[in-house]
Amino acid sequence: MAVAPLRLCYLLSTHTNLNFSLFKPNVFSLTSFSPSPSSSLSQKHYLPLHSCRCSSIAPMSTTTYEFSDGSAEVELRLKIGGLDIRSSRDISVDTKDTSLAIRVLQPGAPITLIETNPLFDRIKSSETIWYIDDDELVVNFKKQDPDLKWPDIMESWESLSAGSSQLLQGTSIYLVGDSTEINQKVAHELATGLGYTPLSTKELLETYTNQTLDSCLLAEGSDSVAEAESAVLESISSHARAVVATLGGQHGASGRAHKWQHLYAGFTVWLSQTDALDEDSARQETHKSVKDGTISYTNADVVVKLQGWDPTYAKSVAQACLSALKQLILSDKKLPGKKSLYVRLGCRGDWPNIKPPGWDPSSEGNTSLGTH
């Protein structure tokens, strides 16, 4: 029996300014709850690296290309020797700030050489230059952010995995949400792609107590399990380059707003399952969660909405996580350094408004600490 495609959406924004964009054909997206300004969201993920089969209703061409990053500019070279191209008038290069489409114009339907949305990052589309060099089409783009190194022309699992290290700067990632299984599966994919250490608080707790999680819950209750997980999170909060899968549900620390002190040590991603059928419903659902303030997961930096779940799609979810985190960090490049400072000062619960050294959390009411 065929497995229905997983739908997911990621959110990357402030509490009051949510941006939304649609992934096609089977992924739709939202944004985050960071203290920094939000930026535009990317849209579709398709086309593998260096050999791309382009998605289009027009005739398609399997085209290989070379890509290089020259700091302020990036260059794309496509082989066109086998095509009937007599002059530049036979080629259409359509660029927008986040997308690219190159087609060969011919009688009838055009042939799509490459089409990608999104690009790895934004370009100055009005400054795009292209020309034919022997059997190659050369396209030169001006980057909007010259400091960001592009691993490839398009945003994909491979380019996000390769390019995220420059953004994360070693900051760990914590996955929260109602499903321990989903947290673990996605954490494994993220750790593999990033070269990070995969950690599971469930496995760490079971190793330490020499009991299964279900046995712990039965014997000690969910409050004790949440306390124990908080201790585990404290012990690993100084770890760099780790992806941590936390316990799902209310028996976990992340399900309780007053136990986020050590989760703020890294970038937090809420993997949220939803019954929403469209982007508007998903947006409204997220707005309501933020407004009500009753779900502790709204403390997360990034939200990834999943409509349904199948483990075979864990990498797609991981890719959405990286895409959302990329946009979050690009909106405020000081965030990794701020996370590092928070850890060095002892994870005192004063995120995102970090107090000076010597500040004592017990010296003032801390009921609001750790909330955005």
Side-chain angles (χ1 to χ4, degrees):
M1 183 174 65
V3 178
L6 172 72
R7 287 185 175 271
L8 60 91
C9 58
Y10 67 76
L11 276 135
L12 207 211
S13 74
T14 63
H15 284 286
T16 57
N17 183 22
L18 292 177
N19 292 329
F20 191 95
S21 64
L22 180 68
F23 280 88
K24 298 178 180 178
N26 56 7
V27 187
F28 58 84
S29 77
L30 301 170
T31 16
S32 91
F33 310 109
S34 75
S36 57
S38 61
S39 58
S40 325
L41 290 179
S42 47
Q43 295 181 335
K44 291 185 284 187
H45 299 268
Y46 61 151
L47 300 177
L49 286 174
H50 304 305
S51 178
C52 48
R53 293 185 180 274
C54 306
S55 178
S56 172
I57 58 174
M60 296 178 291
S61 171
T62 300
T63 306
T64 58
Y65 65 85
E66 295 179 1
F67 172 79
S68 61
D69 185 322
S71 186
E73 301 176 352
V74 291
E75 184 179 271
L76 181 68
R77 287 179 172 267
L78 294 95
K79 297 291 185 182
I80 57 173
L83 301 171
D84 185 19
I85 298 174
R86 299 176 183 178
S87 72
S88 59
R89 290 192 296 270
D90 295 330
I91 294 177
S92 167
V93 178
D94 182 17
T95 61
K96 295 181 175 61
D97 288 356
T98 61
S99 66
L100 166 68
I102 301 176
R103 296 181 176 89
V104 177
L105 304 178
Q106 62 175 19
I111 298 175
T112 300
L113 297 181
I114 183 171
E115 182 173 7
T116 179
N117 186 359
L119 297 167
F120 186 76
D121 194 34
R122 303 177 71 84
I123 61 170
K124 299 177 182 179
S125 56
S126 62
E127 298 183 36
T128 300
I129 300 172
W130 63 272
Y131 57 93
I132 297 174
D133 181 16
D134 292 332
D135 64 344
E136 291 184 327
L137 173 66
V138 182
V139 189
N140 186 278
F141 310 90
K142 289 286 184 67
K143 296 192 291 186
Q144 289 200 17
D145 183 353
D147 296 327
L148 180 65
K149 183 72 174 177
W150 289 33
D152 190 57
I153 188 66
M154 65 194 71
E155 183 180 278
S156 64
W157 169 248
E158 291 83 359
S159 65
L160 286 168
S161 299
S164 292
S165 60
Q166 64 181 308
L167 298 171
L168 293 169
Q169 298 176 30
T171 308
S172 291
I173 299 172
Y174 292 79
L175 302 184
V176 303
D178 284 333
S179 171
T180 302
E181 177 201 355
I182 294 176
N183 294 345
Q184 288 178 317
K185 295 288 187 184
V186 178
H188 175 75
E189 293 293 345
L190 281 170
T192 300
L194 294 171
Y196 274 28
T197 301
L199 296 175
S200 164
T201 56
K202 176 178 182 288
E203 293 176 0
L204 291 172
L205 278 172
E206 290 179 339
T207 299
Y208 179 75
T209 62
N210 201 27
Q211 297 183 73
T212 65
L213 177 62
D214 289 341
S215 297
C216 290
L217 285 169
L218 186 62
E220 306 291 339
S222 60
D223 288 345
S224 294
V225 169
E227 286 292 339
E229 188 186 25
S230 293
V232 170
L233 291 169
E234 179 178 4
S235 70
I236 63 177
S237 60
S238 61
H239 284 40
R241 297 177 177 83
V243 183
V244 182
T246 65
L247 294 179
Q250 289 302 308
H251 53 260
S254 64
R256 301 160 188 240
H258 63 286
K259 294 192 177 297
W260 274 66
Q261 180 176 347
H262 296 99
L263 287 168
Y264 292 129
F267 288 110
T268 49
V269 181
W270 174 17
L271 302 179
S272 172
Q273 292 179 281
T274 179
D275 293 325
L277 298 178
D278 55 53
E279 54 191 84
D280 287 336
S281 299
R283 184 196 294 113
Q284 291 168 11
E285 179 182 73
T286 304
H287 274 298
K288 185 177 186 302
S289 296
V290 175
K291 183 178 179 180
D292 292 348
T294 56
I295 302 177
S296 62
Y297 300 138
T298 57
N299 287 330
D301 296 304
V302 168
V303 140
V304 175
K305 287 280 191 181
L306 291 76
Q307 188 186 64
W309 168 248
D310 186 289
T312 59
Y313 289 94
K315 185 178 286 188
S316 296
V317 181
Q319 179 175 332
C321 292
L322 289 183
S323 183
L325 286 171
K326 184 189 76 172
Q327 297 300 324
L328 172 70
I329 297 171
L330 288 177
S331 73
D332 184 356
K333 294 183 180 180
K334 295 181 179 180
L335 278 174
K338 193 174 180 181
K339 290 284 188 183
S340 177
L341 175 62
Y342 179 79
V343 172
R344 293 199 307 273
L345 290 175
C347 298
R348 302 171 301 178
D350 52 342
W351 181 266
N353 302 312
I354 301 175
K355 307 297 184 183
W359 174 75
D360 182 4
S362 63
S363 66
E364 58 184 86
N366 62 358
T367 56
S368 62
L369 292 180
T371 57
H372 296 337

